[in-house]
Amino acid sequence: MDIRASTVLPAARHNITLHTADGLKLVGELALPPEDRTPVATLVCLHPLPTAEGMMDSHVLRKASFRLPALADVAVLRFNTRGTTSRRGTSEGSFGDGETEQHDVLAAIEFAEFEELPHPWLLGWSFGTELALKWGCDPDVAGAILLSPPLKRADDADLAVWADSGKPVVALIPEFDDYLRPEEAKQRFAAIPQAEVIPVEGAKHLWVGEPYVRTVLNEITRHIAPQSAPLPTEWDGEYGVDKGL
């Protein structure tokens, strides 16, 4: 069977609640490899801008949770930042324009540590990349993968923190991005010597289209679970179908 946009592969899925230092409860989901398999790495997903319909179910993050546990033994942690709603529910609090969300990022990292999830990487998309760059350079974080980073809220000081850490930073830049295109991205990310900027031909900010989703998931896998790259495009086993939002 070909793996399609709506394919849901097997995983051990658990509804979770994150608790922030300022007293909020955030709703989320942890998807682990199926059966008795042990995860080799973990994605902590930071979603796009909630005031523009970003949430834990934004399609690239949702498809990562549908595929990577089964195909690459990667644990996928998704959650709604404060005030954000998805099928899973609504997180407490209200949108903080990337500032109070510091507590949300740290709560997710602490959850991964408490659950002993291995090698946690941040996966930020658009607004989520700003959260990763501003608040995610934690000792427990292995690195960051950035999809369509606008580099608007994150400034030179934030980039310097990552540069000094030596932690890997991978930026996937759509050719036709609305905010930051490949040539400018190379200039901006030069502030992080270890950063890898990957232009993606034909892609746009929202990564619409199965070919672009596969590109993203393959690059994620290549960096955090290279033994499973490239990902297969077919599946021979049980599966489900996502009914949509």
Side-chain angles (χ1 to χ4, degrees):
M1 178 209 71
D2 290 337
I3 297 173
R4 303 178 182 274
S6 60
T7 303
V8 183
L9 299 181
R13 305 181 190 280
H14 307 279
N15 288 337
I16 62 170
T17 302
L18 305 180
H19 299 268
T20 69
D22 60 343
L24 299 182
K25 295 178 181 178
L26 312 178
V27 299
E29 180 200 79
L30 175 63
L32 296 168
E35 301 169 353
D36 295 327
R37 288 155 48 187
T38 301
V40 299
T42 304
L43 282 179
V44 177
C45 299
L46 304 173
H47 60 68
L49 190 66
T51 55
E53 301 184 354
M55 56 179 163
M56 62 178 275
D57 279 335
S58 292
H59 77 103
V60 174
L61 307 183
R62 190 170 78 247
K63 291 166 186 172
S65 76
F66 288 169
R67 303 182 197 178
L68 295 185
L71 297 180
D73 288 330
V74 170
V76 179
L77 169 59
R78 297 179 297 141
F79 69 99
N80 287 330
T81 58
R82 56 191 57 211
T84 303
T85 298
S86 72
R87 284 183 288 187
R88 171 70 179 86
T90 301
S91 290
E92 293 180 350
S94 58
F95 178 60
D97 199 29
E99 294 300 319
T100 51
E101 283 83 0
Q102 175 184 11
H103 299 302
D104 306 355
V105 175
L106 295 179
I109 294 170
E110 289 171 359
F111 180 91
E113 179 186 14
F114 181 80
E115 294 293 323
E116 298 183 339
L117 298 174
H119 307 297
W121 283 69
L122 301 180
L123 173 62
W125 180 6
S126 192
F127 173 71
T129 69
E130 309 277 49
L131 300 186
L133 290 169
K134 288 177 69 66
W135 313 120
C137 195
D138 185 272
D140 291 319
V141 167
I145 297 174
L146 312 175
L147 310 180
S148 307
L151 289 183
K152 291 185 176 294
R153 293 172 177 83
D155 57 24
D156 291 343
D158 300 314
L159 300 184
V161 171
W162 282 91
D164 291 343
S165 76
K167 295 177 184 290
V169 175
V170 182
L172 275 66
I173 311 296
E175 179 183 8
F176 301 117
D177 194 83
D178 298 321
Y179 305 103
L180 186 73
R181 295 192 175 185
E183 287 308 311
E184 183 184 358
K186 291 175 183 177
Q187 296 173 12
R188 296 288 304 276
F189 279 104
I192 305 176
Q194 72 273 22
E196 181 181 358
V197 175
I198 302 174
V200 180
E201 184 177 353
K204 297 182 180 180
H205 189 76
L206 297 180
W207 303 96
V208 174
E210 180 63 17
Y212 300 116
V213 172
R214 287 183 175 175
T215 294
V216 168
L217 297 185
N218 271 316
E219 287 295 341
I220 290 169
T221 304
R222 184 169 71 86
H223 285 86
I224 74 171
Q227 69 280 0
S228 297
L231 295 170
T233 60
E234 296 182 346
W235 176 258
D236 182 16
E238 295 184 358
Y239 67 96
V241 176
D242 181 42
K243 301 297 185 181
L245 293 177

